[in-house]
Structure formats: C-alpha cells, structure tokens
Amino acid sequence: MTLDAKIPGGPLAEKWDRHRFESKLVNPANRRKYTIIIVGTGLAGASAASSLGELGYNVLSFCIQDSPRRAHSIAAQGGINAAKNYQNDGDSIQRLFYDTVKGGDYRAREANVYRLAQLSVNIIDQCVAQGVPFAREYGGLLDNRSFGGAQVSRTFYARGQTGQQLLLGAYQSMMRQVERGTVKSFANREMLDVVLIDGKARGIVVRNLTTGAIERYAGHAVLLCTGGYGTAYYLSTNAVNSNVTAAWRAYKRGAFFANPCYTQIHPTCIPVTGTEQSKLTLMSESLRNDGRVWVPKQPGDRRPPEQIPEAERDYYLERRYPSFGNLVPRDVASRNAKAVCDEGRGVGESGLAVYLDFKDAITRLGVEVIRARYANLFDMYRKITDEDPYKVPMRIYPAIHYTMGGLWVDYNLMSTIPGLHVLGEANFSDHGANRLGASALMQGLADGYFVIPYTLAHYLGGTPLPAVTVEHDAFNEAADAVQTRINTLLSVKGSKTPRQLHRELGRVLWDQVGMARNDGGLRKALEWIPALREEFWQNVSVPGPANNMNKNLEYAGRVADYLEFAEVLALDALHRTESSGGHFREESQTPDGEALRDDQNFTYVAAWEFTGVGQPPILHKEPLTFEYVKPSQRSYK
C-alpha cells in the first residue's frame, strides 16, 4: 500500500486556503442526515463535537469518564502557543512554523505544521470569545510567557491552569450543542472496537462502564480523539485512565500506527518516591521561565541546597546552552538531567533529581509576582512533597509525558481506514520527533475547531454511504469478538493482578525504551515483552463480573493492549538507528552528546501495518520532503 498524504499543491502559505476552497461541502439541510461518532472528550474531542454540532451534524460523543471535564487535557497547565506577536519581539506564523519543525528534529510534514501555525491565531480568538480567562497585561492585551524551544514569547496562559480553562471553554460549547439537540453525550463508555462495513468505518462497539453492557452505535464517520499511549510505561504524567486501547483496536482493524518510538520525556516532573506509585505529577514547563535548574558541581554532595554556595553550583543548562538556557526543548533538558544524575550529581534521597530554584526570581521580582504566576503549581508541589518551593528549590526529574507517535493520518486527518479520522494526540502528524511545550493544546484545538469541519465535509460529500444499522453482520462480529475477549480475561483466574504485570512492563519500557535506547537493550525488550504477554494470559487475576461495574476488568483489558502495543513500540525504536528528538539511540550522538540524525536513511514516517499479535508488522514509509526549512544539526547553544 502506498501512503498518500494528500498534501495540496501550491506555495506552502496557500495550501490550506486552496484545499478548503477545493474541498467538497455538505449543505446545511443535508448535515442533519449524517451521524458522526466522536470518541473522546478532551480538547480535540470536545472542540470537534461543538464545531460539528454547531454546523448541524448529528453527533454522538463518547466519554470514558463520568464527565468531559475530567479529560486529561486539563493537565496541560503551562499555556498554548499562537503566533499573535503581541510582544512585538519578532514572532510570526513563519517563525512558529520554523520552531516547530526544528523542535520536532525535522521529522514532521511541513504542510501540516504550517497549517497548525496559521490556525494558531484563530484559536486564541475563539477561546477569548468563549470566555477563557487568559492572563492580561496592564494595557489590556493578552499576556505571553516563554516556553522551551523558542526565543520569542508566544505562549498564552491562564495562570497554571491553561488546559483546564481551555477544556471548560470547549466543554461549554459542546454542552450548548447538547442542549440544542445536535450532540448526544454518552458518559462512562469505553470504545473496544471500530466497525468496518465495505472497508469504511461505520460504527463502534463500546462497553458501558457502569452497567457492563456491550453497546453498538452506527454512524457515517468515526473520529478518534483519545489521546496518547504514555501510560504503557506505567509511571507517566498521564491520567491513570489514559490508554492506548481505542487506537490499538483501530490498528488491529487496519489503521497504520506511525512512529510509536517517538515518546516525549518531560524534564519537569516530581521525582519517583516509591514502588507503589500509580502515576507521576507534572510541574509545568512554564516554571522554567523563572526557575533555574542546577545540581552540585561535585558528585556525592548531599548538603541541603541552601548550604551549597553559588561557586559550587552547576547551572548546567545555562552553561551548555547560552542562547536558550533553561528554555531548551524538553528532550534536550531531559537528557541533560539524566546525564548529571548519571555522573552522581543528582539530588534528593534517590539521587535521581535536579533542583529547580526560584530564589533569584523571588529576589528580583518579589514573592507576590511569583505567586501570581505560579501559585497553584507551587501549592500542588507543596501538597505532594511537604516542601515549600518559595523557600527551598523544587526537585524535578524527567518522566514519560506526551507521545508524538500515533495513528497515521493524511492531510485531512483520515487514517488508512476510510472514514476513520484521528485528531489531537491520538494521531502522529504535527510534532515530528519532539513536541515543543504549549503545542499540544494548539494541535488539539486546531484539529477540532478548524480542520475537521472542512475535511470531514469533503469526505462525506464525496463518498457513497448507504444506511446501515447495528444489526449488520459486521456489528455482530465485532460485538462477539469484544465479548469473547472479556470472557477470556475473566476465565484465566491466575495469581497476578493487572497492575503487577503493568508495573513489570513499565519497568522494561522505561529501562530499555526510555530516555536512552541502544541495540542490546531493545533486543532484550523484544524478548521480555512477548514473555510477559504470555504470562499475562496464563496468570492474570481479574475478579468480578462482566455485566456490572468492574474496574479490574477495565484495567486488565487496557494492560492486555499495552502488552501488544509495547512490542511495536520497541520494534520501531530498534529499526530507527538514528537519534531524533525524543528518540535517542546511544549509538547515534554527536561528540558532545546531542542527538545525531541520519537524514540519508530515516527522513520518513514509519507507519506499521498489523499482521497478527506477535507477528512482525509490515513497515510502510512516507517520505518527508523539506522545501522551506532545510534540515540541519539541531542546536540550542
């Protein structure tokens, strides 16, 4: 199969406008005849539901939580990028495009990234109109802060709650459509299969998490807005309910999975404190605006931070990257934190932490300014660690965060399954090998508010879609397969809990497919993961019934999918022998330890096709061409 990205012709700055004009439309009277299924209610899902509902489509929205307000999008605290240039510091659409392509280590499509930069300015206007309480300057303009990977201030923020406030805006817009009757909301539903009829996505099978009932829903198109797969690592900054299941089940139905090895390590997380943790807590990257990162110069120095004089501190990011300092991109900051800890200069009881120190900022600006900017983040840190960051430095360490890989989509956000569109973090398209901070919110809202209304109409307007019902044989087959898998999980009656097995998988992935990867470790992971999967199906313990609320059953199903997905993740990391962005192969680095790409052999998207569980997937390559930003060694020095 040849991967056709369907990128429009013409100059880069005109591609999206040209594509919108040339796309087919659905007239207002006909929109109500189409049923659109949207899985997920985070920023991408809620914005898509509100936009399509406003247009008059019949939208069915499925939420894994009891409310869309609990979507993991609320955890993106620091801000959202947009090329408004309110600071008059040289920003532009072209610069945001350049920074994003460079930040992604030249492993993203130029056309997609440019469209994202164009739409960023519309997103801010949309959100302000919805009442999102962005911070403002004295003169009334929206304020901006700096984020990693850029030398301009383009990040709009609402204190340390930006994701939450943006989600509330999208949620309110969606609920307006629920009230009008164009959107119907289904809470506590988990998608367990996508239904294909005549090769097109025409419905889904879900499990009602309250009653245990298996339910079927038919439509004319399906939109997956289900987030990333970082929870495969067990300990991550993601919500515990975040999972890979919806995307993985679509993959097993024929949607290609692209670049799964591109996982982002966030440098600003509260360190691990014990073996019984279920997740990690993110401290926003925005803190690196005013916080300075440092460790002792001497290995083994265990003195309290206030007893270590300035001359004996190593502000290693400022030393190594004078142009960007503490605002280097996440992959660079994370690798440097690991390096100084590997040298024995880490802090805290474990030695796996570095300091993020606000003393200089408080002295310069005053404690009230810092409190106004970051109070909720400081309060969160104090509640978790019982330490006051106004008085002592925070301790931070890298952790699994965002995932740049995801289901392959073309320029229209459609997967290799016709009619199955994938939005936000669930697709692979815009961030390349490393996402710049404050760009996840931007992509999710761009896809939902401004891209899918056009590209979905183009699909519907040009595709014959005869009526189908949930009694179709394809629905029967999918529902039976879902029920069989559930019955199998309940019948094993082993001695290990899903959490124990998930923790073992996470340890393998973090150790061998984490911040640094090498050939030997990846090959070990590819031996251990199938063995762990076999143990799961022989020895997992899932108590409780199928036909009622059963958290053990929910979790077991997701762990089963992690154990299949993890093999493809490790395989993708093994095959890509270059280093790029968040994928760091120890065999491919510059003399001073930076990621070294291999543009001659790896300037492509790696899209994997399912052939069976435990069977080698088929690799498809989408070549990447760079006409406007020429790839070069990425440097932030």
Side-chain angles (χ1 to χ4, degrees):
M1 178 179 179
T2 301
L3 290 174
D4 181 5
K6 296 184 171 60
I7 297 172
L12 185 67
E14 299 174 12
K15 287 182 186 293
W16 177 233
D17 289 339
R18 175 177 179 175
H19 188 62
R20 288 192 298 171
F21 176 73
E22 294 176 350
S23 293
K24 294 179 172 62
L25 300 176
V26 178
N27 77 57
N30 284 340
R31 291 174 197 153
R32 67 178 68 98
K33 300 177 183 178
Y34 288 104
T35 296
I36 311 302
I37 293 171
I38 302 179
V39 185
T41 52
L43 283 179
S47 60
S50 65
S51 299
L52 298 176
E54 183 73 38
L55 287 168
Y57 292 101
N58 176 37
V59 177
L60 306 181
S61 170
F62 294 85
C63 177
I64 197 172
Q65 307 280 11
D66 55 358
S67 167
R69 290 173 296 176
R70 293 174 61 84
H72 184 64
S73 300
I74 67 169
Q77 306 146 321
I80 177 171
N81 288 331
K84 285 287 195 182
N85 195 32
Y86 285 158
Q87 300 290 330
N88 199 30
D89 58 358
D91 200 12
S92 63
I93 289 172
Q94 180 69 27
R95 188 173 294 279
L96 176 53
F97 159 69
Y98 169 79
D99 286 346
T100 306
V101 172
K102 176 186 174 184
D105 224 346
Y106 307 94
R107 291 295 177 260
R109 292 190 197 125
E110 283 190 327
N112 282 68
V113 177
Y114 195 88
R115 176 176 67 184
L116 181 63
Q118 285 178 298
L119 294 176
S120 69
V121 298
N122 299 337
I123 295 169
I124 301 304
D125 295 339
Q126 172 95 357
C127 294
V128 169
Q130 289 172 342
V132 174
F134 287 119
R136 292 181 181 270
E137 295 179 325
Y138 174 76
L141 285 178
L142 300 183
D143 197 11
N144 292 113
R145 59 174 43 148
S146 299
F147 252 64
Q151 291 180 302
V152 297
S153 296
R154 64 162 67 101
T155 303
F156 295 78
Y157 65 97
R159 242 179 157 177
Q161 302 175 350
T162 314
Q164 182 174 349
Q165 298 301 329
L166 290 171
L167 183 64
L168 287 173
Y171 168 72
Q172 291 173 138
S173 297
M174 173 181 154
M175 295 311 292
R176 177 173 181 265
Q177 299 307 317
V178 171
E179 180 68 21
R180 294 179 61 189
T182 60
V183 175
K184 189 172 182 181
S185 180
F186 298 86
N188 294 307
R189 298 321 200 273
E190 181 170 24
M191 192 201 100
L192 296 179
D193 212 345
V194 61
V195 178
L196 275 56
I197 298 176
D198 297 327
K200 303 179 184 69
R202 295 303 305 272
I204 60 173
V205 173
V206 304
R207 183 172 182 269
N208 185 317
L209 300 181
T210 303
T211 67
I214 303 302
E215 301 171 352
R216 315 171 183 192
Y217 297 91
H220 296 89
V222 177
L223 278 55
L224 288 189
C225 312
T226 51
Y229 48 83
T231 42
Y233 285 77
Y234 186 68
L235 284 180
S236 80
T237 66
N238 292 272
V240 174
N241 267 355
S242 299
N243 62 82
V244 77
T245 288
W248 189 247
R249 303 293 172 90
Y251 166 75
K252 292 172 79 169
R253 289 290 182 182
F256 291 3
F257 214 112
N259 296 339
C261 76
Y262 289 157
T263 54
Q264 182 168 78
I265 316 292
H266 197 296
T268 318
C269 300
I270 296 179
V272 176
T273 57
T275 59
E276 300 306 313
Q277 279 184 261
S278 59
K279 73 177 299 294
L280 297 172
T281 302
L282 171 68
M283 289 286 100
S284 169
E285 182 177 318
S286 63
L287 294 171
R288 288 197 277 143
N289 275 281
D290 291 306
R292 300 180 71 191
V293 179
W294 65 275
V295 292
K297 286 185 176 180
Q298 294 301 318
D301 189 339
R302 295 302 187 202
R303 288 177 292 173
E306 65 273 13
Q307 295 181 13
I308 302 177
E310 283 290 315
E312 297 178 35
R313 299 180 179 188
D314 181 12
Y315 295 91
Y316 57 89
L317 292 178
E318 298 172 29
R319 172 173 57 81
R320 292 198 66 188
Y321 307 97
S323 293
F324 283 76
N326 296 299
L327 290 174
V328 293
R330 292 173 176 179
D331 61 319
V332 177
S334 294
R335 282 196 294 274
N336 277 270
K338 179 180 185 298
V340 296
C341 290
D342 288 347
E343 293 169 4
R345 296 194 287 143
V347 301
E349 291 183 12
S350 68
L352 295 177
V354 300
Y355 288 129
L356 181 62
D357 195 339
F358 291 86
K359 181 180 179 181
D360 289 352
I362 291 172
T363 301
R364 185 178 73 254
L365 301 171
V367 70
E368 291 306 317
V369 172
I370 299 301
R371 183 173 283 114
R373 292 177 179 176
Y374 310 115
N376 63 305
L377 298 172
F378 277 46
D379 291 344
M380 186 191 312
Y381 183 87
R382 182 164 45 201
K383 288 178 181 178
I384 292 172
T385 66
D386 198 29
E387 296 176 358
D388 186 353
Y390 293 103
K391 298 178 179 178
V392 297
M394 289 184 178
R395 288 176 291 109
I396 58 170
Y397 194 68
I400 293 290
H401 180 52
Y402 190 87
T403 53
M404 288 73 66
L407 293 181
W408 184 91
V409 293
D410 61 19
Y411 190 74
N412 295 318
L413 304 184
M414 191 156 71
S415 71
T416 47
I417 298 174
L420 180 68
H421 297 75
V422 190
L423 284 63
E425 190 180 359
N427 75 33
F428 87 100
S429 65
D430 293 2
H431 305 297
N434 178 60
R435 177 178 68 84
L436 291 185
S439 289
L441 303 180
M442 179 172 61
Q443 187 212 345
L445 292 178
D447 287 355
Y449 282 140
F450 300 113
V451 178
I452 200 63
Y454 291 94
T455 60
L456 178 64
H458 179 68
Y459 169 73
L460 296 174
T463 306
L465 295 167
V468 298
T469 72
V470 295
E471 303 306 320
H472 191 283
D473 287 346
F475 277 93
N476 294 333
E477 182 271 327
D480 289 346
V482 165
Q483 189 63 59
T484 298
R485 189 175 179 89
I486 289 172
N487 294 341
T488 304
L489 284 169
L490 291 169
S491 68
V492 176
K493 299 189 184 304
S495 61
K496 279 194 173 182
T497 67
R499 187 169 298 280
Q500 286 175 293
L501 292 158
H502 189 190
R503 190 181 290 121
E504 291 181 37
L505 173 65
R507 192 174 298 115
V508 171
L509 290 178
W510 179 249
D511 290 344
Q512 310 301 339
V513 203
M515 271 193 281
R517 303 156 180 191
N518 58 58
D519 184 87
L522 291 168
R523 293 186 186 278
K524 288 179 183 176
L526 286 167
E527 293 176 5
W528 293 337
I529 292 168
L532 193 57
R533 186 170 64 239
E534 179 68 20
E535 182 182 6
F536 175 91
W537 287 107
Q538 296 296 324
N539 198 28
V540 71
S541 172
V542 186
N547 57 348
N548 205 332
M549 182 182 290
N550 189 336
K551 292 296 181 182
N552 293 298
L553 179 59
E554 292 172 33
Y555 189 45
R558 295 165 197 166
V559 174
D561 290 329
Y562 295 142
L563 286 163
E564 295 175 3
F565 163 72
E567 192 167 10
V568 180
L569 167 61
L571 185 66
D572 187 45
L574 178 65
H575 113 275
R576 190 172 285 274
T577 55
E578 67 164 358
S579 291
S580 50
H583 169 65
F584 188 75
R585 286 291 296 263
E586 293 176 350
E587 303 93 337
S588 184
Q589 55 183 303
T590 64
D592 56 353
E594 303 292 345
L596 181 62
R597 294 192 320 275
D598 180 355
D599 291 335
Q600 182 174 351
N601 294 305
F602 289 101
T603 309
Y604 60 77
V605 176
W608 299 91
E609 179 183 4
F610 180 70
T611 60
V613 176
Q615 301 299 314
I618 299 171
L619 173 62
H620 300 264
K621 299 178 181 180
E622 178 201 335
L624 294 169
T625 57
F626 295 93
E627 299 179 64
Y628 299 90
V629 180
K630 297 303 179 186
S632 60
Q633 175 60 37
R634 198 168 51 126
S635 174
Y636 294 92
K637 296 186 175 182

